[in-house]
Amino acid sequence: CITDSQLSLKKFIKNMLKSFENRDGWIWMNGKIIPWQDANSHVISQGLHYASAVFEGERAYNGKIFKSEEHTKRFFKSAEIIGMEIPFTHDQINKAKYELINKMNYKNCYVRPLAWRGGDQMGLSTGKSNINVAIAVWDDWATYFKIEDQKAGLRLITSPWKRPAPDTAPYEAKASGPYIICTLSKEFAEKKGYHDALMLDYRGYVAEGTGANIFFIKDNNIHTPIPDCFLNGITRQTVIEMATNQGFKITEKHLMPDEIGNYDEAFLTGTAAEITPIKSIDDFKYNTGDNTTTFKFMNDFSDMVKNAS
Ligand code: PMP
């Protein structure tokens, strides 16, 4: 006879082998939970053609979404910034996330709310656009980077693509459109054999990774770029608070690329990436391993998210 855990392992492996489109399970879409494979949108939609969409990335640990309220707030704020009115309340989205996690029977998973302009109207006008909202959850991003890379540290290369100026793209919104810059940077790095890219901003300052913020450590000092043209990540804010409480001196500053060799350690932060050590950026090498401050932060962060009430 097959036990429950064997059954869920079987389901996990079966889903891992499938594309994201062909999975079994459930998706919350426009107010209802529907079978995963029925959660479709027509090819004629403003979301698809013009990336007129916003999304979130969240994680549940032990059945509880870390900073769920903050993510929901950012979801609505992102929508507002791009002029999109989400036809649900904060409460409805908060409840929907948990309803779906329970329906999927997950304790630890990634949560992806998405809102996009549909096909009621084509072209760039938005006056008559319809807004769709969906939430999906999946459990195969236990770590965003491969577990062995997360342990050993990532190799990064500087991307030729830059974070744009605040009057070129709405940097405080987690809006789909600007993510093409991240996709291009990630593709550039992976084609050259690196794990990720470091993006500079339009002024040439160090900005962030392709889907995560960046920190540098020298002794008791931690430096991180000022989020004045990229997302001020929820994980970034959490880590700043955690490190400050532990007595580290955190400075947010504009960093030029030739300064990043002055540090002993570097790491990325993000909901998907959590805290991931960096082994090198271009020719600069950083300390990694059990004796680093980054390693201690990884453990502290892991304890924090699991115990968050
Ligand atoms: N920057 C970018 C470009 C991202 O995609 C993310 C992930 N949402 C972050 C930073 C980190 O944000 P958070 O910690 O809120 O996940």
Side-chain angles (χ1 to χ4, degrees):
C1 74
I2 290 186
T3 64
D4 273 0
S5 66
Q6 281 170 324
L7 256 179
S8 64
L9 184 66
K10 247 178 107 178
K11 189 177 129 208
F12 177 71
I13 291 168
K14 205 170 135 209
N15 267 341
M16 286 276 282
L17 298 172
K18 288 180 173 178
S19 77
F20 271 86
E21 290 170 348
N22 290 330
R23 294 176 170 213
D24 295 328
W26 304 93
I27 287 193
W28 184 95
M29 189 156 158
N30 293 330
K32 286 193 215 103
I33 289 186
I34 58 171
W36 186 285
Q37 295 190 27
D38 295 347
N40 299 312
S41 167
H42 199 271
V43 291
I44 310 298
S45 79
Q46 291 187 314
L48 191 57
H49 292 232
Y50 313 118
S52 216
V54 295
F55 66 100
E56 263 310 312
E58 319 180 22
R59 266 187 196 276
Y61 299 90
N62 291 333
K64 173 110 193 0
I65 300 169
F66 185 65
K67 308 251 175 190
S68 176
E69 192 58 53
E70 282 87 339
H71 282 284
T72 298
K73 272 195 195 133
R74 187 169 71 185
F75 187 49
F76 278 82
K77 187 176 166 205
S78 297
E80 190 190 325
I81 290 172
I82 73 157
M84 188 191 263
E85 200 174 320
I86 292 180
F88 295 94
T89 63
H90 284 231
D91 240 29
Q92 284 172 313
I93 298 295
N94 282 336
K95 282 202 186 103
K97 289 191 281 191
Y98 278 105
E99 225 185 297
L100 187 63
I101 290 174
N102 291 334
K103 180 91 178 165
M104 291 289 276
N105 209 9
Y106 286 156
K107 287 274 176 275
N108 299 296
C109 61
Y110 185 81
V111 183
R112 167 56 57 82
L114 170 74
W116 71 102
R117 291 192 168 107
D120 277 7
Q121 177 170 28
M122 274 313 265
L124 296 171
S125 304
T126 57
K128 285 187 253 147
S129 299
N130 56 317
I131 311 295
N132 294 294
V133 185
I135 305 171
V137 296
W138 54 84
D139 68 346
D140 45 336
W141 278 8
T143 58
Y144 180 63
F145 295 97
K146 281 193 209 138
I147 186 93
E148 61 269 28
D149 296 335
Q150 185 163 37
K151 273 202 180 123
L154 306 178
R155 291 172 55 248
L156 268 60
I157 182 171
T158 302
S159 170
W161 300 98
K162 307 272 195 316
R163 298 297 324 164
D167 59 359
T168 305
Y171 73 94
E172 283 174 292
K174 199 166 163 60
S176 298
Y179 267 86
I180 196 63
I181 307 167
C182 306
T183 302
L184 285 163
S185 297
K186 185 84 175 175
E187 198 177 35
F188 169 83
E190 288 187 338
K191 277 195 174 148
K192 290 197 177 311
Y194 291 81
H195 299 109
D196 203 3
L198 169 70
M199 287 192 287
L200 306 181
D201 72 17
Y202 64 104
R203 297 160 295 193
Y205 292 132
V206 171
E208 59 171 350
T210 58
N213 294 118
I214 195 162
F215 287 78
F216 297 93
I217 309 179
K218 174 90 185 156
D219 304 322
N220 200 43
N221 295 303
I222 302 182
H223 293 173
T224 189
I226 302 167
D228 55 5
C229 62
F230 58 86
L231 211 60
N232 181 4
I234 291 169
T235 321
R236 178 186 181 278
Q237 295 170 49
T238 306
V239 167
I240 288 177
E241 195 185 319
M242 182 180 87
T244 305
N245 289 341
Q246 292 184 9
F248 288 91
K249 188 169 181 295
I250 300 261
T251 312
E252 296 180 77
K253 60 184 285 196
H254 287 138
L255 269 169
M256 286 306 281
D258 62 1
E259 293 175 68
I260 64 175
N262 301 339
Y263 297 93
D264 300 326
E265 297 176 37
F267 62 88
L268 294 175
T269 64
T271 297
E274 298 173 299
I275 296 178
T276 303
I278 298 171
K279 191 160 70 179
S280 66
I281 304 176
D282 301 328
D283 292 332
F284 298 119
K285 306 257 185 301
Y286 300 101
N287 298 337
T288 54
D290 297 5
N291 292 324
T292 58
T293 302
T294 306
F295 186 75
K296 183 184 153 12
F297 284 166
M298 288 165 83
N299 287 329
D300 295 343
F301 181 79
S302 170
D303 289 345
M304 182 196 299
V305 293
K306 280 178 199 143
N307 297 324
S309 56

